[in-house]
């Protein structure tokens, strides 16, 4: 899998690679034998590591090969990960830089977020499997069929940070042992772990592709002192209710926009994704859209984002993508204000024959040679997949007072829940930052505001279940609870260095308190039902004396 010579010849020296590329690299998904009647499932990275054997050997070795490829190779790890943000150079013949602000290809803070990342992960997966197939062909004859079959079934693994909010153990050690060919047998060797870090090529740091990392860090890092990886990262992840957020998004969102992009009532998939970028590496490159993709956590993270979107699509096929036009934000080759629709190109990704991929053309995973557990579309009807996805989501993510499992027999299957609806104009705060909510001094919720987009409204509905259950408010009436929340809610906006932002300088900041009666599900293939809600404004207060430690 290599680009045509015309494309390769123009790649990546200076700022205009692919300028006259005649044959853009197509993102088609991994090729699958049509006689197979099925496609491989993407696996949880923890399951892939636990199983070991040929699939694990090939995954580690193929990822290592991508990272070792010359940075001028359009299919190297550097070039593919560099599509997301820096080095802000052209890829796949997509025209000169026309952005009017953010100059990465990735669209953040707009409805294209989910659909753009689907072909991006598929591109990575194609190249990963291509390398795995080449590596498998060099194993001794006795083992070759086993490794070749493993290569054909290999897909980009995902990190399910909602079901298990700890970083994958596979990303922790600096070295890993895998089986290499050794004559007619196998030899287990220790090799640098490609999931631990990515070493930035010296030519990149020296400016061959323009400005890259102003700090000139020679590799991606996570949780520097006084933090430690994984302990500090796991502590960060535990501080946010990712499981509850995901469950609320699946069960309460009523349309694609609310689920994937921005909502008043829940924390959307993109906003949840932002929290992972802050927490999993204690900031560092992983929280910066410019550099985040170079951390090996990135594709594990975004394969999971794609997976969750795929489940939403099975649950709500009538709301599987956005269905309107809007003025988009700035990105590479696309000036801010460009009219975006589901038929707009997902630059720089193409189907064969120079056909740009669009949200409409990537809406189905059936086109790309992979699937996920319970979405075996070749043997299930859409109704069966919807039911199976519902059961899986209940099993993995249901938690708290709205869960069927928390409803004792004989009690009415209803509970009143409270959400803090946060509204903020990103342009008014220094980014990245966290918007933290406290009730009576106890942390009640937290949102991450990324560097990108630079402006625009951010909204989210933060559930207050945990902090209410841990206080006297859980025994109060609805009106008493609302009054207690209104009297004790404070907001602290924390910058990356731990200092705070004076919220009097953030006039757009508003918090509304919502309470809603929720009917619990009575079966594992049902979701809770949200009734009518009441909304009241909460006076925003600032704890001036607080300085938080942010690692």
């Amino acid at each position: 899998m290599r680009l045509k010579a015309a494309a390769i010849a123009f790649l990546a020296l200076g700022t205009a690679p692919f300028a006259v590329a005649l044959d853009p690299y197509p993102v088609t998904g991994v090729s699958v034998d049509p006689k197979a009647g099925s496609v491989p499932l993407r696996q949880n990275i923890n399951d892939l590591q636990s199983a070991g054997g040929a699939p694990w050997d090939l995954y580690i070795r193929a990822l290592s090969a991508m990272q070792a490829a010359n940075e001028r190779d359009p299919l190297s790890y550097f070039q593919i990960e560099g599509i997301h943000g820096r080095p802000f150079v052209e890829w796949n013949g997509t025209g000169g830089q026309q952005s009017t602000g953010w100059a990465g290809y990735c669209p953040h803070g707009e409805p294209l977020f989910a659909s753009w990342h689907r072909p991006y992960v598929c591109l990575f997966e194609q190249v990963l499997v291509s390398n795995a197939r080449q590596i498998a062909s060099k194993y001794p004859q006795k083992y070759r069929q086993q490794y070749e079959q493993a290569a054909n079934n290999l897909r980009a693994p995902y990190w399910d940070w909602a079901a298990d909010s700890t970083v994958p153990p596979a990303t922790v050690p600096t070295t890993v042992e895998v089986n290499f060919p050794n004559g007619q047998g196998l030899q287990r060797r220790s090799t640098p772990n490609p999931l631990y870090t990515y070493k930035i090529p010296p030519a990149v740091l020296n400016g061959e592709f323009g400005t890259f990392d102003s700090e000139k860090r020679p590799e991606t890092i996570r949780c520097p002192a006084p933090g430690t990886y994984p302990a500090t990262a796991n502590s960060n992840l535990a501080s946010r209710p990712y499981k509850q957020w995901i469950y609320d998004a699946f069960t309460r969102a009523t349309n694609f926009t609310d689920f994937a992009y921005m909502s008043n009532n829940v924390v959307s998939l993109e906003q949840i994704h932002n929290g992972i970028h802050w927490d999993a590496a204690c900031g560092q490159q992983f929280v910066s859209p410019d550099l985040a993709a170079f951390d090996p956590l990135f594709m594990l993270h975004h394969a999971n984002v794609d997976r969750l979107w795929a489940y939403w699509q099975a649950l709500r096929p009538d709301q599987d993508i956005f269905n309107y036009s809007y003025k988009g934000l700035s990105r590479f080759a696309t000036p801010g204000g460009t009219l975006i629709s589901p038929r707009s190109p997902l630059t720089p990704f193409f189907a064969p024959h120079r056909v740009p991929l669009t949200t409409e053309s990537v809406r189905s995973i059936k086109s790309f040679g992979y699937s996920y557990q319970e979405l075996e579309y070749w043997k299930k009807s859409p109704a069966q997949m919807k039911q199976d996805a519902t059961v899986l989501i209940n099993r993995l993510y249901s938690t708290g007072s709205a869960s069927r499992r928390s409803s004792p027999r004989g009690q009415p299957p209803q509970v009143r829940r409270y959400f803090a609806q946060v509204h903020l104009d990103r342009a008014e705060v220094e980014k990245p930052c966290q918007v933290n909510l406290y009730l009576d001094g106890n942390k009640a919720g937290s949102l991450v505001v990324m560097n990108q987009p630079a402006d625009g409204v951010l909204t989210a509905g933060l559930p207050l279940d945990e902090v209410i259950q841990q206080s006297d408010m859980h025994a109060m009436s609805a009106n008493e609870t609302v009054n207690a929340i209104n009297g004790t809610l404070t907001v602290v906006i924390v910058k990356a260095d731990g200092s705070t932002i004076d919220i009097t300088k953030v006039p757009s900041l508003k918090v509304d308190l919502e309470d809603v009666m929720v009917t619990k599900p009575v079966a594992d293939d049902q979701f809770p039902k949200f009734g009518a809600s009441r909304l009241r404004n909460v006076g925003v207060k600032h704890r001036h004396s607080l300085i938080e430690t942010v690692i």
Side-chain angles (χ1 to χ4, degrees):
M1 295 171 64
R2 284 293 183 267
L3 298 175
K4 295 294 182 73
I8 295 175
F10 286 95
L11 178 71
L13 182 59
T15 59
F18 282 99
V20 294
L22 301 178
D23 212 356
Y25 181 76
V27 179
T28 60
V30 178
S31 60
V32 177
D33 184 351
K35 297 179 181 179
S38 64
V39 300
L41 305 182
R42 287 181 178 169
Q43 296 185 58
N44 187 310
I45 180 63
N46 295 339
D47 294 337
L48 183 65
Q49 181 193 25
S50 296
W56 179 249
D57 294 343
L58 291 173
Y59 172 62
I60 291 297
R61 293 195 62 199
L63 183 56
S64 296
M66 290 177 65
Q67 293 184 359
N70 188 283
E71 62 272 13
R72 297 186 179 189
D73 183 340
L75 301 183
S76 66
Y77 186 91
F78 173 75
Q79 288 282 341
I80 291 173
E81 305 308 320
I83 291 170
H84 188 269
R86 290 191 182 275
F88 299 156
V89 297
E90 190 174 315
W91 197 90
N92 224 13
T94 52
Q97 183 171 334
Q98 303 167 33
S99 62
T100 52
W102 159 247
Y105 278 111
C106 174
H108 282 259
E110 58 182 292
L112 278 183
F113 167 78
S115 55
W116 185 90
H117 282 88
R118 175 162 286 172
Y120 190 33
V121 177
C122 285
L123 167 65
F124 171 84
E125 185 171 70
Q126 283 177 230
V127 179
L128 179 79
V129 173
S130 175
N131 277 276
R133 285 171 169 168
Q134 294 178 36
I135 292 167
S137 69
K138 297 176 182 177
Y139 275 80
Q141 186 66 37
K142 179 180 178 180
Y143 301 96
R144 190 170 303 156
Q145 183 177 1
Q146 172 190 357
Y147 275 83
E148 288 179 342
Q149 182 178 358
N152 289 332
N153 290 331
L154 181 65
R155 294 297 182 270
Y158 63 86
W159 165 33
D160 188 357
W161 32 255
D164 180 3
S165 296
T166 59
V167 295
T171 66
V172 176
T174 58
T175 61
V176 61
E177 289 190 349
V178 294
N179 293 303
F180 284 78
N182 183 33
Q184 296 304 307
L186 302 177
Q187 182 182 42
R188 196 159 183 80
R189 300 181 196 165
S190 179
T191 188
N193 183 5
L195 292 170
Y196 174 73
T197 189
Y198 169 63
K199 296 186 183 299
I200 310 299
V204 175
L205 294 176
N206 290 335
E208 184 170 332
F209 295 84
T211 302
F212 186 68
D213 183 357
S214 59
E215 297 183 37
K216 291 197 172 183
R217 290 165 288 189
E219 61 183 353
T220 56
I221 58 175
R222 304 171 187 149
C223 302
T228 60
Y229 186 85
T232 310
N234 288 339
S235 177
N236 293 342
L237 291 163
S239 72
R240 285 184 239 270
Y242 287 112
K243 182 181 288 188
Q244 182 71 70
W245 283 356
I246 282 295
Y247 193 63
D248 285 343
F250 274 119
T251 59
R252 194 177 188 197
T254 59
N255 55 64
F256 172 85
T257 299
D258 279 350
F259 173 78
Y261 160 47
M262 186 166 58
S263 171
N264 288 319
N265 304 116
V266 298
V267 185
S268 70
L269 181 60
E270 182 177 1
Q271 187 62 50
I272 298 169
H273 141 278
N274 290 353
I276 298 295
H277 274 287
W278 179 291
D279 292 339
C282 310
Q284 307 313 306
Q285 292 103 322
F286 198 47
V287 79
S288 167
D290 286 16
L291 302 171
F294 294 100
D295 191 309
L297 286 167
F298 183 91
M299 286 298 174
L300 298 173
H301 175 26
H302 276 276
N304 194 49
V305 170
D306 181 79
R307 167 178 168 268
L308 296 170
W309 178 34
Y311 286 133
W312 168 262
Q313 291 181 300
L315 295 168
R316 293 298 306 268
D318 59 324
Q319 288 289 334
D320 65 328
I321 61 173
F322 70 96
N323 56 8
Y324 48 86
S325 297
Y326 68 92
K327 290 184 178 180
L329 301 174
S330 168
R331 59 187 183 278
F332 197 99
T334 309
T338 300
L339 192 65
I340 302 297
S341 78
R343 296 183 179 180
S344 297
L346 299 175
T347 311
F349 307 123
F350 289 84
H353 312 299
R354 299 186 59 82
V355 177
L357 288 173
T358 68
T359 298
E360 285 191 348
S361 64
V362 306
R363 70 193 306 174
S364 173
I365 61 175
K366 295 180 182 180
S367 305
F368 295 102
Y370 72 93
S371 191
Y372 300 102
Q373 182 185 0
E374 306 302 0
L375 300 183
E376 296 87 353
Y377 55 81
W378 55 92
K379 63 179 181 181
K380 295 181 180 180
S381 67
Q384 186 65 56
M385 285 194 293
K386 178 178 180 179
Q387 183 180 43
D388 291 348
T390 302
V391 171
L392 180 142
I393 290 162
N394 275 325
R395 174 171 57 83
L396 291 178
Y397 308 124
S398 65
T399 184
S401 56
S403 169
R404 173 174 176 258
R405 296 169 178 81
S406 68
S407 181
R409 288 186 178 182
Q411 289 191 7
Q414 288 190 320
V415 63
R416 187 173 296 279
R417 296 187 61 198
Y418 298 85
F419 293 83
Q421 296 186 0
V422 179
H423 304 254
L424 175 74
D425 185 341
R426 297 180 182 92
E428 295 176 356
V429 295
E430 182 179 330
K431 299 172 284 292
C433 66
Q434 297 188 79
V435 180
N436 295 333
L437 273 60
Y438 292 84
L439 281 179
D440 200 19
N442 299 309
K443 199 167 188 178
S446 179
L447 293 171
V448 170
V449 185
M450 299 276 278
N451 288 339
Q452 298 297 333
D455 52 26
V457 175
L458 180 153
T459 67
L462 290 168
L464 302 177
D465 305 80
E466 185 174 349
V467 70
I468 287 176
Q469 285 299 316
Q470 293 173 353
S471 72
D472 294 336
M473 285 184 279
H474 75 278
M476 296 179 179
S477 68
N479 287 336
E480 289 173 333
T481 301
V482 168
N483 290 335
I485 293 173
N486 192 39
T488 65
L489 182 71
T490 55
V491 178
V492 181
I493 303 179
V494 187
K495 297 189 291 186
D497 63 3
S499 62
T500 59
I501 295 174
D502 184 352
I503 64 170
T504 62
K505 298 179 180 179
V506 189
S508 65
L509 178 63
K510 183 177 75 164
V511 180
D512 292 323
L513 178 63
E514 179 191 27
D515 67 282
V516 57
M517 189 65 74
V518 183
T519 302
K520 302 176 184 180
V522 296
D524 288 335
D525 61 353
Q526 297 177 8
F527 285 148
K529 297 184 183 301
F530 289 77
S533 66
R534 297 182 298 177
L535 198 65
R536 310 137 194 240
N537 181 254
V538 177
V540 176
K541 293 169 279 294
H542 182 212
R543 294 169 62 186
H544 295 278
S545 62
L546 180 69
I547 298 292
E548 293 199 354
T549 300
V550 179
I551 299 177

